[in-house]
Amino acid sequence: MVDYLVRRLIPNYENTKDSAVRSAVGRLCGIIGIFANIFLFVIKYAIGVVVNSISIRADAINNLSDACSNIISIVSFHVSNKPADEHHPFGHERTETIASMFVGLIVGYIGIEMARESLDKILHPATLDFRYVTLVILGISILVKFWMYFYNKKLAKVYDSSLLEATALDSISDVMGTGAVLLSTILSPVIGFNLDGFMGIIVSVIILFNAYKLIKEVINSLLGEAPDPGIVNKISKQIMENSEVLGVHDLMIHNYGPNRLFASAHVEVDSSHDIFLVHDQIDNIERRIKKEMGIELVLHMDPVRVNDPETEHYKRLVAQAIQSLKVKWSFHDFRIVAGPTHVNLVFDLVVPFSDPYTEEQIHSMLSERIESDKPVYLVITIDHPMA
């Protein structure tokens, strides 16, 4: 049904990278979610009052909060589609990520309130009025939420939407929560003990756990998590396909939303080549990646000496020293400054964040392992892998 509505109501729906299309799909899912959640709230809250069940009423309120989350998502998709302006030159697509945070906070609040009410129900149990219509309503709720999970999950993957992913996560947690309430409703009359409050606790724990996972993912995104290795490899591969590029390093990717990626990198080029011709090729690489991947890329040229025996000799000594340490280090931008009494080895050293060594220790460890006829002095710039 939702796929049909997307095809019928959204022009150019196949262009999954278009911000206007993503916004329209998100708003459509939000509107469908509002109607579905309000419907579930009304029927579940009514039956919860009739049978005096705290877990059913809490589950109904959770559906009402989901409707509020859908309203937030609609507003978010509208704002994220706004073009870049002088105050926000990188666009507004991070609005979607921020909205996901609000959804997580709302879900967490509902979980806390449900736990509080369920604890009160355990301490002050009341008689549960069993009715078969309750099972029918809870069954309908599970089916509706399964449906919402599948279409949100599918569209989240197609249109690369963290907010639709968050909505799908919320829907599947509702399935588990309502399933626990349904189990409580069936078992309580059988065993002669009211499980309502205990199942409410289980539901609240499930909701709080999903809220924690969602908020954690959003915070990681806002703080600047490591980029997708697939994107890193694809960018590096496209850069290295150009014959003028000898190596690429210091690749950094900044994410301002699903369709707002900015990147920068250093490329090593032969210092003996015509700088204007090399610069022309660098421009071509930037334009190609912009066209094919939609990424704004800025490249910095690092000229290096190629086929210089002295440079290659000292470069080999550094590589052997690193290999003897059995560490996961790499180096780039290698050059030498040779004098009559000594040689300066100048390079950038990439050290994993997890390595415990200080810069002084790293410098000492390498110096001790480089054996040369002429004294060498290391001029090292310590880098960490950004991608």
Side-chain angles (χ1 to χ4, degrees):
M1 174 185 171
V2 177
D3 284 342
Y4 172 77
L5 291 175
V6 169
R7 292 193 298 269
R8 292 286 297 175
L9 301 178
I10 300 176
N12 199 26
Y13 69 92
E14 294 178 334
N15 189 357
T16 60
K17 299 299 182 183
D18 185 86
S19 296
V21 173
R22 291 182 68 260
S23 177
V25 170
R27 293 197 300 270
L28 175 63
C29 290
I31 292 170
I32 294 172
I34 289 173
F35 283 106
N37 282 308
I38 289 178
F39 166 72
L40 294 178
F41 164 73
V42 170
I43 62 173
K44 283 200 285 189
Y45 197 85
I47 196 65
V49 172
V50 170
V51 302
N52 192 29
S53 170
I54 181 64
S55 59
I56 295 178
R57 293 202 303 272
D59 201 25
I61 293 173
N62 186 37
N63 291 137
L64 184 62
S65 76
D66 290 342
C68 296
S69 298
N70 293 138
I71 294 173
I72 293 174
S73 70
I74 291 173
V75 174
S76 167
F77 278 115
H78 175 73
V79 174
S80 67
N81 189 41
K82 291 175 61 179
D85 54 41
E86 58 181 325
H87 299 295
H88 306 92
F90 299 107
H92 298 78
E93 292 199 15
R94 275 189 175 174
T95 305
E96 186 179 332
T97 306
I98 296 171
S100 300
M101 170 71 81
F102 280 107
V103 171
L105 293 174
I106 291 174
V107 172
Y109 173 76
I110 293 298
I112 293 172
E113 282 298 300
M114 185 181 295
R116 185 184 62 81
E117 293 187 25
S118 299
L119 183 60
D120 183 68
K121 190 76 171 181
I122 292 172
L123 297 176
H124 306 93
T127 303
L128 185 65
D129 184 5
F130 177 82
R131 302 192 184 193
Y132 285 104
V133 68
T134 306
L135 306 183
V136 174
I137 289 174
L138 292 177
I140 291 173
S141 176
I142 290 173
L143 292 176
V144 171
K145 280 296 180 176
F146 256 127
W147 171 64
M148 294 178 70
Y149 166 75
F150 283 116
Y151 79 71
N152 278 294
K153 186 73 175 178
K154 177 182 177 181
L155 294 176
K157 185 176 182 179
V158 171
Y159 294 95
D160 189 22
S161 171
S162 64
L163 192 48
L164 291 180
E165 182 71 35
T167 304
L169 179 66
D170 184 44
S171 296
I172 199 64
S173 70
D174 288 345
V175 169
M176 292 184 287
T178 305
V181 175
L182 178 61
L183 184 63
S184 166
T185 305
I186 295 172
L187 290 180
S188 292
V190 175
I191 66 176
F193 182 78
N194 193 344
L195 297 172
D196 191 33
F198 296 96
M199 285 302 178
I201 292 290
I202 293 174
V203 173
S204 66
V205 170
I206 293 171
I207 291 173
L208 286 170
F209 178 70
N210 284 322
Y212 163 76
K213 289 202 302 182
L214 174 58
I215 293 172
K216 181 182 177 182
E217 289 176 5
V218 172
I219 290 175
N220 285 339
S221 177
L222 293 175
L223 287 176
E225 62 185 341
D228 180 359
I231 294 178
V232 173
N233 292 333
K234 191 172 182 179
I235 294 175
S236 299
K237 182 179 178 181
Q238 292 218 26
I239 293 174
M240 290 300 299
E241 286 177 355
N242 191 288
S243 59
E244 289 291 345
V245 177
L246 304 176
V248 58
H249 56 268
D250 288 348
L251 173 59
M252 292 186 287
I253 300 175
H254 307 280
N255 189 338
Y256 286 87
N259 298 316
R260 298 294 291 173
L261 290 180
F262 296 82
S264 62
H266 288 219
V267 291
E268 295 179 350
V269 297
D270 192 335
S271 60
S272 65
H273 287 191
D274 187 313
I275 189 171
F276 291 102
L277 294 178
V278 174
H279 187 271
D280 180 70
Q281 291 299 309
I282 296 300
D283 283 345
N284 289 339
I285 295 172
E286 293 172 343
R287 292 191 184 97
R288 179 186 174 191
I289 289 180
K290 168 65 176 177
K291 180 180 179 180
E292 295 183 7
M293 299 183 66
I295 297 174
E296 298 279 357
L297 176 67
V298 177
L299 295 178
H300 173 79
M301 293 187 298
D302 289 335
V304 296
R305 288 184 179 180
V306 178
N307 299 323
D308 176 59
E310 189 176 16
T311 300
E312 292 300 319
H313 168 70
Y314 286 107
K315 188 175 182 180
R316 188 163 50 251
L317 291 181
V318 173
Q320 290 171 351
I322 292 174
Q323 186 177 10
S324 69
L325 289 169
K326 301 186 186 314
V327 290
K328 295 181 179 180
W329 299 349
S330 62
F331 66 100
H332 53 78
D333 281 352
F334 186 88
R335 65 186 187 276
I336 66 171
V337 181
T341 61
H342 67 276
V343 179
N344 289 332
L345 309 184
V346 185
F347 57 93
D348 292 0
L349 184 68
V350 182
V351 179
F353 284 102
S354 57
D355 278 20
Y357 310 111
T358 65
E359 291 192 20
E360 291 76 12
Q361 289 174 322
I362 292 171
H363 193 282
S364 176
M365 291 162 67
L366 283 177
S367 296
E368 292 171 356
R369 286 166 174 78
I370 295 178
E371 298 180 359
S372 174
D373 297 335
K374 185 183 291 187
V376 297
Y377 297 99
L378 305 185
V379 183
I380 304 175
T381 299
I382 303 296
D383 284 344
H384 295 292
M386 303 299 292

